[in-house]
Amino acid sequence: MNLKSLAQHLGISASTVSRVMAGRGDEFRIAKETQKHILDEAAAMGVRPDELARSLRLQSTRTLGLVIPDISNPFFAALARAVERRARALGYTVLLADSQESDEVEAECIRTLMDRRIDGLILAPVGGDSAHLQPLIASKLPLTQVDRVFTALKTAAVVADNFTGAREAVKRLVKLGHKRIACLQGREDSSVIVERVRGYRAGLSEAGLRFEGKFLVGGEHSQAIAREHTLRLLEMKPRPTAVLALSNQLALGALEAVRERGLIIPEDLSLIAFDEQPWATLLSPPLTTLAQPVEDMGTVSVDRLCELIKRGGKPSRKALTTLPVRLIERASIGTKKKD
């Protein structure tokens, strides 16, 4: 069936059907209900617009790019799913790229996506230096940062309240009687880790506890490295009685180390981890987590990007959106035993 036949079937003028199928319904002030009716009937009858022709006419591909640091990380997989779901609801297709925690790979991913003429980009950047992103900024492509952020770039950004989440976790551990609280961190130049470590230190300070550098360990987003550093923590005398792991992958490394040493959670070590995951409740004991609003982060980042696209890439004055983190207490933390 062609457009003319579809128009006859619908009892609507061929010009109206053509404009809607070309994505120009709003431009010609065609009612939303009429547009939806035409598109629904077209889909049901197997009539598809010529996407290439439409993109050339509108200077738009209805495609968004998404670059994340590690697709194997459950947090970023969930974020990608949320982004794709929201983008699809708004009529966009998402092209996904994995930067593999490398700024060189990230720059390559961005170049590739820009060559595909994406309408805008959602980026969870890696590293502590944004120099490799300057060509992207110079291009004026609409950009929203998510989770990790380079504030100096002055783009739209969507983040979780990492500082408050870490601070509240420490306060809860202190309330349970813990004073030797270690922190297992990821990549130190990541904005997320910087904020979480800042919150960890603030929690200690507010409780009147001295920050001890030996209890701040790690440096990579790696389960294996987290295991090694946790083993070192467990060899200290006196050792920490609680650990705040700044990601789910780091928590898994900590759990490995605890098991290797034949220790028991929370009797020998209390554990809190950032990121809520379905498997958290399946562990024995279930893991206490700091749940980031990953679904909202994905949804809001798409909304902010689409707003930018409509404004021609100019960020609003309130470019940063901060979403709350929620402490979900389970049996992996407990009252500190007497020394």
Side-chain angles (χ1 to χ4, degrees):
M1 176 177 284
N2 55 29
L3 288 179
K4 184 176 180 180
S5 300
L6 177 62
Q8 291 174 344
H9 170 75
L10 293 169
I12 299 174
S13 71
S15 61
T16 297
V17 173
S18 176
R19 287 164 179 167
V20 171
M21 294 295 286
R24 302 180 68 187
D26 290 342
E27 179 184 344
F28 286 92
R29 299 182 180 179
I30 298 170
K32 294 289 187 184
E33 291 182 1
T34 301
Q35 293 187 51
K36 184 177 185 304
H37 179 52
I38 291 171
L39 293 172
D40 287 349
E41 285 296 313
M45 303 180 76
V47 180
R48 295 181 59 83
D50 183 338
E51 295 291 345
L52 178 59
R54 183 173 68 178
S55 68
L56 290 173
R57 284 194 295 271
L58 301 182
Q59 295 296 302
S60 169
T61 60
R62 302 294 295 179
T63 302
L64 306 178
L66 171 63
V67 181
I68 57 177
D70 181 3
I71 192 61
S72 69
N73 184 320
F75 171 79
F76 288 114
L79 179 68
R81 182 176 60 184
V83 166
E84 197 282 330
R85 181 184 293 123
R86 181 58 174 167
R88 180 157 34 88
L90 296 177
Y92 286 90
T93 298
V94 176
L95 297 180
L96 171 65
D98 182 348
S99 65
Q100 302 172 35
E101 294 285 0
S102 163
D103 49 10
E104 291 183 5
V105 175
E106 183 174 77
E108 180 184 342
C109 290
I110 292 170
R111 286 194 298 270
T112 300
L113 290 171
M114 291 178 68
D115 287 344
R116 298 291 183 93
R117 302 187 64 82
I118 54 174
D119 293 342
L121 177 67
I122 296 172
L123 173 67
V126 302
D129 186 351
S130 63
H132 66 290
L133 299 178
Q134 290 310 311
L136 169 63
I137 301 302
S139 75
K140 305 296 183 183
L141 180 74
L143 169 66
T144 295
Q145 298 181 80
V146 63
D147 184 51
R148 306 176 183 183
V149 172
F150 288 120
T151 55
L153 295 183
K154 302 185 185 306
T155 72
V158 180
V159 300
D161 192 349
N162 294 290
F163 171 82
T164 300
R167 183 183 64 185
E168 292 303 307
V170 172
K171 287 172 66 175
R172 180 59 185 139
L173 290 169
V174 170
K175 191 172 182 180
L176 290 171
H178 296 278
K179 294 182 179 179
R180 296 192 301 276
I181 303 170
C183 182
L184 193 54
Q185 66 176 335
R187 186 166 170 168
E188 298 177 50
D189 57 5
S190 162
S191 64
V192 169
I193 297 301
V194 169
E195 283 300 292
R196 291 175 184 175
V197 169
R198 195 167 70 87
Y200 161 71
R201 297 186 63 160
L204 293 174
S205 177
E206 290 175 15
L209 299 176
R210 184 168 59 89
F211 167 74
E212 297 190 56
K214 66 181 181 180
F215 285 163
L216 177 61
V217 299
E220 293 293 337
H221 296 294
S222 162
Q223 180 175 334
I225 292 177
R227 169 189 160 274
E228 292 175 10
H229 282 279
T230 304
L231 288 171
R232 294 174 193 169
L233 286 173
L234 297 177
E235 291 169 359
M236 292 180 181
K237 296 186 184 300
R239 69 184 181 215
T241 61
V243 169
L244 171 60
L246 300 189
S247 79
N248 53 66
Q249 288 179 310
L250 301 178
L252 290 174
L255 288 168
E256 273 192 274
V258 169
R259 186 180 299 114
E260 282 185 40
R261 287 291 178 263
L263 301 177
I264 301 172
I265 291 177
E267 286 82 355
D268 298 310
L269 186 76
S270 286
L271 178 64
I272 298 180
F274 264 88
D275 300 332
E276 171 69 358
Q277 296 298 331
W279 47 257
T281 58
L282 303 177
L283 296 174
S284 181
L287 182 64
T288 297
T289 61
L290 290 156
Q292 297 189 79
V294 62
E295 185 74 24
D296 290 341
M297 291 173 71
T299 298
V300 174
S301 63
V302 173
D303 289 344
R304 294 291 177 272
L305 183 60
C306 290
E307 291 168 9
L308 279 170
I309 292 170
K310 289 179 181 177
R311 290 198 302 269
K314 297 178 181 177
S316 64
R317 291 181 181 178
K318 191 176 180 180
L320 178 65
T321 301
T322 303
L323 301 175
V325 171
R326 181 166 56 99
L327 176 64
I328 302 176
E329 185 167 339
R330 300 192 180 99
S332 68
I333 62 174
T335 305
K336 175 191 170 293
K337 294 189 301 184
K338 293 182 179 181
D339 291 326

mmCIF file of all heavy atoms in Angstrom, residues 137-168:
data_model
loop_
_atom_site.group_PDB
_atom_site.id
_atom_site.type_symbol
_atom_site.label_atom_id
_atom_site.label_comp_id
_atom_site.label_asym_id
_atom_site.label_seq_id
_atom_site.Cartn_x
_atom_site.Cartn_y
_atom_site.Cartn_z
ATOM 1 N N ILE A 137 32.410 19.807 22.015
ATOM 2 C CA ILE A 137 31.861 21.081 22.474
ATOM 3 C C ILE A 137 31.869 22.107 21.344
ATOM 4 O O ILE A 137 30.899 22.844 21.141
ATOM 5 C CB ILE A 137 32.661 21.611 23.684
ATOM 6 C CG1 ILE A 137 32.629 20.597 24.835
ATOM 7 C CG2 ILE A 137 32.128 22.958 24.130
ATOM 8 C CD1 ILE A 137 31.234 20.235 25.309
ATOM 9 N N ALA A 138 32.957 22.137 20.581
ATOM 10 C CA ALA A 138 33.070 23.096 19.478
ATOM 11 C C ALA A 138 32.032 22.845 18.380
ATOM 12 O O ALA A 138 31.628 23.769 17.677
ATOM 13 C CB ALA A 138 34.479 23.037 18.885
ATOM 14 N N SER A 139 31.595 21.602 18.262
ATOM 15 C CA SER A 139 30.618 21.263 17.215
ATOM 16 C C SER A 139 29.229 21.812 17.499
ATOM 17 O O SER A 139 28.383 21.853 16.613
ATOM 18 C CB SER A 139 30.523 19.740 17.063
ATOM 19 O OG SER A 139 29.787 19.170 18.143
ATOM 20 N N LYS A 140 28.970 22.204 18.766
ATOM 21 C CA LYS A 140 27.661 22.728 19.193
ATOM 22 C C LYS A 140 26.572 21.664 19.154
ATOM 23 O O LYS A 140 25.376 21.987 19.172
ATOM 24 C CB LYS A 140 27.234 23.921 18.334
ATOM 25 C CG LYS A 140 28.234 25.057 18.283
ATOM 26 C CD LYS A 140 28.438 25.688 19.640
ATOM 27 C CE LYS A 140 29.397 26.883 19.559
ATOM 28 N NZ LYS A 140 29.661 27.476 20.892
ATOM 29 N N LEU A 141 26.952 20.398 19.086
ATOM 30 C CA LEU A 141 25.958 19.332 19.124
ATOM 31 C C LEU A 141 25.273 19.348 20.485
ATOM 32 O O LEU A 141 25.945 19.407 21.513
ATOM 33 C CB LEU A 141 26.636 17.978 18.909
ATOM 34 C CG LEU A 141 25.712 16.741 18.924
ATOM 35 C CD1 LEU A 141 24.910 16.679 17.622
ATOM 36 C CD2 LEU A 141 26.526 15.466 19.100
ATOM 37 N N PRO A 142 23.947 19.290 20.544
ATOM 38 C CA PRO A 142 23.263 19.225 21.843
ATOM 39 C C PRO A 142 23.797 18.062 22.681
ATOM 40 O O PRO A 142 23.890 16.934 22.207
ATOM 41 C CB PRO A 142 21.795 19.012 21.447
ATOM 42 C CG PRO A 142 21.677 19.676 20.114
ATOM 43 C CD PRO A 142 22.992 19.383 19.425
ATOM 44 N N LEU A 143 24.165 18.371 23.930
ATOM 45 C CA LEU A 143 24.842 17.396 24.783
ATOM 46 C C LEU A 143 24.288 17.440 26.199
ATOM 47 O O LEU A 143 24.127 18.517 26.780
ATOM 48 C CB LEU A 143 26.349 17.699 24.820
ATOM 49 C CG LEU A 143 27.196 16.963 25.861
ATOM 50 C CD1 LEU A 143 27.232 15.469 25.565
ATOM 51 C CD2 LEU A 143 28.615 17.541 25.899
ATOM 52 N N THR A 144 24.015 16.262 26.739
ATOM 53 C CA THR A 144 23.657 16.129 28.151
ATOM 54 C C THR A 144 24.593 15.116 28.786
ATOM 55 O O THR A 144 24.749 14.005 28.277
ATOM 56 C CB THR A 144 22.197 15.658 28.316
ATOM 57 O OG1 THR A 144 21.317 16.660 27.830
ATOM 58 C CG2 THR A 144 21.882 15.408 29.787
ATOM 59 N N GLN A 145 25.246 15.505 29.880
ATOM 60 C CA GLN A 145 26.065 14.568 30.644
ATOM 61 C C GLN A 145 25.174 13.882 31.680
ATOM 62 O O GLN A 145 24.260 14.499 32.227
ATOM 63 C CB GLN A 145 27.199 15.305 31.347
ATOM 64 C CG GLN A 145 28.171 15.991 30.391
ATOM 65 C CD GLN A 145 29.284 16.694 31.144
ATOM 66 O OE1 GLN A 145 30.254 16.078 31.585
ATOM 67 N NE2 GLN A 145 29.156 17.997 31.305
ATOM 68 N N VAL A 146 25.490 12.629 31.961
ATOM 69 C CA VAL A 146 24.698 11.887 32.935
ATOM 70 C C VAL A 146 25.625 11.088 33.839
ATOM 71 O O VAL A 146 26.639 10.553 33.393
ATOM 72 C CB VAL A 146 23.674 10.965 32.236
ATOM 73 C CG1 VAL A 146 24.359 9.892 31.397
ATOM 74 C CG2 VAL A 146 22.728 10.316 33.250
ATOM 75 N N ASP A 147 25.289 11.045 35.131
ATOM 76 C CA ASP A 147 26.041 10.320 36.160
ATOM 77 C C ASP A 147 27.384 10.991 36.426
ATOM 78 O O ASP A 147 27.556 11.661 37.435
ATOM 79 C CB ASP A 147 26.219 8.854 35.780
ATOM 80 C CG ASP A 147 26.906 8.061 36.881
ATOM 81 O OD1 ASP A 147 26.448 8.157 38.037
ATOM 82 O OD2 ASP A 147 27.883 7.347 36.599
ATOM 83 N N ARG A 148 28.344 10.831 35.555
ATOM 84 C CA ARG A 148 29.629 11.503 35.694
ATOM 85 C C ARG A 148 29.572 12.819 34.926
ATOM 86 O O ARG A 148 28.976 12.894 33.853
ATOM 87 C CB ARG A 148 30.743 10.624 35.138
ATOM 88 C CG ARG A 148 30.774 9.231 35.742
ATOM 89 C CD ARG A 148 31.828 8.386 35.068
ATOM 90 N NE ARG A 148 31.853 7.022 35.570
ATOM 91 C CZ ARG A 148 32.736 6.103 35.176
ATOM 92 N NH1 ARG A 148 33.669 6.421 34.290
ATOM 93 N NH2 ARG A 148 32.697 4.883 35.675
ATOM 94 N N VAL A 149 30.221 13.846 35.475
ATOM 95 C CA VAL A 149 30.060 15.186 34.896
ATOM 96 C C VAL A 149 31.365 15.969 34.937
ATOM 97 O O VAL A 149 32.090 15.941 35.939
ATOM 98 C CB VAL A 149 28.974 15.973 35.668
ATOM 99 C CG1 VAL A 149 28.922 17.419 35.211
ATOM 100 C CG2 VAL A 149 27.606 15.332 35.484
ATOM 101 N N PHE A 150 31.658 16.669 33.846
ATOM 102 C CA PHE A 150 32.689 17.708 33.831
ATOM 103 C C PHE A 150 31.958 19.041 33.955
ATOM 104 O O PHE A 150 31.392 19.539 32.982
ATOM 105 C CB PHE A 150 33.493 17.671 32.530
ATOM 106 C CG PHE A 150 34.435 16.503 32.417
ATOM 107 C CD1 PHE A 150 34.296 15.601 31.384
ATOM 108 C CD2 PHE A 150 35.455 16.321 33.333
ATOM 109 C CE1 PHE A 150 35.166 14.518 31.256
ATOM 110 C CE2 PHE A 150 36.327 15.247 33.218
ATOM 111 C CZ PHE A 150 36.186 14.341 32.183
ATOM 112 N N THR A 151 31.972 19.629 35.137
ATOM 113 C CA THR A 151 31.213 20.867 35.348
ATOM 114 C C THR A 151 31.752 22.020 34.507
ATOM 115 O O THR A 151 30.996 22.920 34.132
ATOM 116 C CB THR A 151 31.237 21.268 36.834
ATOM 117 O OG1 THR A 151 32.601 21.353 37.284
ATOM 118 C CG2 THR A 151 30.512 20.231 37.682
ATOM 119 N N ALA A 152 33.039 21.982 34.197
ATOM 120 C CA ALA A 152 33.641 23.068 33.418
ATOM 121 C C ALA A 152 33.069 23.162 32.007
ATOM 122 O O ALA A 152 33.155 24.211 31.367
ATOM 123 C CB ALA A 152 35.157 22.885 33.349
ATOM 124 N N LEU A 153 32.467 22.090 31.521
ATOM 125 C CA LEU A 153 31.915 22.103 30.162
ATOM 126 C C LEU A 153 30.619 22.891 30.078
ATOM 127 O O LEU A 153 30.177 23.254 28.990
ATOM 128 C CB LEU A 153 31.679 20.669 29.678
ATOM 129 C CG LEU A 153 32.921 19.809 29.508
ATOM 130 C CD1 LEU A 153 32.541 18.439 28.948
ATOM 131 C CD2 LEU A 153 33.943 20.487 28.599
ATOM 132 N N LYS A 154 29.977 23.146 31.221
ATOM 133 C CA LYS A 154 28.760 23.962 31.271
ATOM 134 C C LYS A 154 27.670 23.449 30.332
ATOM 135 O O LYS A 154 27.056 24.208 29.574
ATOM 136 C CB LYS A 154 29.085 25.431 30.971
ATOM 137 C CG LYS A 154 30.104 26.034 31.938
ATOM 138 C CD LYS A 154 30.299 27.512 31.692
ATOM 139 C CE LYS A 154 31.396 28.082 32.576
ATOM 140 N NZ LYS A 154 31.208 27.831 34.008
ATOM 141 N N THR A 155 27.440 22.149 30.374
ATOM 142 C CA THR A 155 26.361 21.549 29.588
ATOM 143 C C THR A 155 25.231 21.135 30.526
ATOM 144 O O THR A 155 25.373 21.164 31.749
ATOM 145 C CB THR A 155 26.848 20.291 28.842
ATOM 146 O OG1 THR A 155 27.057 19.231 29.799
ATOM 147 C CG2 THR A 155 28.142 20.554 28.095
ATOM 148 N N ALA A 156 24.116 20.728 29.955
ATOM 149 C CA ALA A 156 23.069 20.113 30.762
ATOM 150 C C ALA A 156 23.633 18.846 31.385
ATOM 151 O O ALA A 156 24.459 18.154 30.777
ATOM 152 C CB ALA A 156 21.860 19.794 29.891
ATOM 153 N N ALA A 157 23.204 18.524 32.600
ATOM 154 C CA ALA A 157 23.725 17.340 33.288
ATOM 155 C C ALA A 157 22.679 16.800 34.258
ATOM 156 O O ALA A 157 21.916 17.563 34.854
ATOM 157 C CB ALA A 157 25.007 17.684 34.046
ATOM 158 N N VAL A 158 22.679 15.469 34.406
ATOM 159 C CA VAL A 158 21.764 14.791 35.321
ATOM 160 C C VAL A 158 22.597 13.872 36.208
ATOM 161 O O VAL A 158 23.298 12.990 35.706
ATOM 162 C CB VAL A 158 20.701 13.970 34.563
ATOM 163 C CG1 VAL A 158 19.761 13.268 35.550
ATOM 164 C CG2 VAL A 158 19.906 14.863 33.610
ATOM 165 N N VAL A 159 22.528 14.091 37.518
ATOM 166 C CA VAL A 159 23.349 13.315 38.446
ATOM 167 C C VAL A 159 22.515 12.867 39.643
ATOM 168 O O VAL A 159 21.450 13.411 39.919
ATOM 169 C CB VAL A 159 24.554 14.143 38.959
ATOM 170 C CG1 VAL A 159 25.448 14.570 37.806
ATOM 171 C CG2 VAL A 159 24.080 15.359 39.747
ATOM 172 N N ALA A 160 23.044 11.873 40.348
ATOM 173 C CA ALA A 160 22.482 11.476 41.637
ATOM 174 C C ALA A 160 23.177 12.278 42.727
ATOM 175 O O ALA A 160 24.297 12.774 42.537
ATOM 176 C CB ALA A 160 22.675 9.982 41.868
ATOM 177 N N ASP A 161 22.534 12.404 43.881
ATOM 178 C CA ASP A 161 23.120 13.153 44.992
ATOM 179 C C ASP A 161 24.105 12.246 45.726
ATOM 180 O O ASP A 161 23.844 11.741 46.825
ATOM 181 C CB ASP A 161 22.016 13.638 45.931
ATOM 182 C CG ASP A 161 22.523 14.666 46.937
ATOM 183 O OD1 ASP A 161 23.761 14.834 47.037
ATOM 184 O OD2 ASP A 161 21.689 15.292 47.617
ATOM 185 N N ASN A 162 25.256 12.069 45.113
ATOM 186 C CA ASN A 162 26.259 11.143 45.628
ATOM 187 C C ASN A 162 26.826 11.579 46.971
ATOM 188 O O ASN A 162 27.098 10.750 47.844
ATOM 189 C CB ASN A 162 27.390 11.000 44.608
ATOM 190 C CG ASN A 162 26.921 10.324 43.336
ATOM 191 O OD1 ASN A 162 26.624 9.143 43.337
ATOM 192 N ND2 ASN A 162 26.854 11.079 42.241
ATOM 193 N N PHE A 163 27.008 12.875 47.145
ATOM 194 C CA PHE A 163 27.555 13.403 48.405
ATOM 195 C C PHE A 163 26.642 13.046 49.572
ATOM 196 O O PHE A 163 27.087 12.464 50.571
ATOM 197 C CB PHE A 163 27.729 14.910 48.305
ATOM 198 C CG PHE A 163 28.069 15.567 49.620
ATOM 199 C CD1 PHE A 163 29.374 15.575 50.082
ATOM 200 C CD2 PHE A 163 27.081 16.159 50.395
ATOM 201 C CE1 PHE A 163 29.695 16.159 51.303
ATOM 202 C CE2 PHE A 163 27.384 16.746 51.613
ATOM 203 C CZ PHE A 163 28.688 16.754 52.072
ATOM 204 N N THR A 164 25.374 13.361 49.451
ATOM 205 C CA THR A 164 24.440 13.104 50.547
ATOM 206 C C THR A 164 24.284 11.608 50.799
ATOM 207 O O THR A 164 24.197 11.170 51.953
ATOM 208 C CB THR A 164 23.069 13.736 50.236
ATOM 209 O OG1 THR A 164 23.235 15.150 50.064
ATOM 210 C CG2 THR A 164 22.077 13.482 51.361
ATOM 211 N N GLY A 165 24.258 10.817 49.739
ATOM 212 C CA GLY A 165 24.122 9.376 49.911
ATOM 213 C C GLY A 165 25.251 8.786 50.730
ATOM 214 O O GLY A 165 25.024 8.018 51.678
ATOM 215 N N ALA A 166 26.494 9.153 50.394
ATOM 216 C CA ALA A 166 27.651 8.628 51.133
ATOM 217 C C ALA A 166 27.657 9.127 52.572
ATOM 218 O O ALA A 166 27.955 8.373 53.507
ATOM 219 C CB ALA A 166 28.940 9.030 50.419
ATOM 220 N N ARG A 167 27.339 10.391 52.761
ATOM 221 C CA ARG A 167 27.313 10.950 54.115
ATOM 222 C C ARG A 167 26.284 10.238 54.997
ATOM 223 O O ARG A 167 26.572 9.891 56.150
ATOM 224 C CB ARG A 167 26.999 12.448 54.057
ATOM 225 C CG ARG A 167 27.035 13.134 55.423
ATOM 226 C CD ARG A 167 26.654 14.592 55.317
ATOM 227 N NE ARG A 167 25.271 14.743 54.858
ATOM 228 C CZ ARG A 167 24.693 15.916 54.589
ATOM 229 N NH1 ARG A 167 25.395 17.037 54.701
ATOM 230 N NH2 ARG A 167 23.451 15.969 54.194
ATOM 231 N N GLU A 168 25.093 9.991 54.440
ATOM 232 C CA GLU A 168 24.049 9.323 55.212
ATOM 233 C C GLU A 168 24.432 7.877 55.546
ATOM 234 O O GLU A 168 24.075 7.360 56.606
ATOM 235 C CB GLU A 168 22.730 9.365 54.448
ATOM 236 C CG GLU A 168 22.134 10.758 54.313
ATOM 237 C CD GLU A 168 21.921 11.418 55.671
ATOM 238 O OE1 GLU A 168 21.282 10.799 56.547
ATOM 239 O OE2 GLU A 168 22.422 12.560 55.855
#
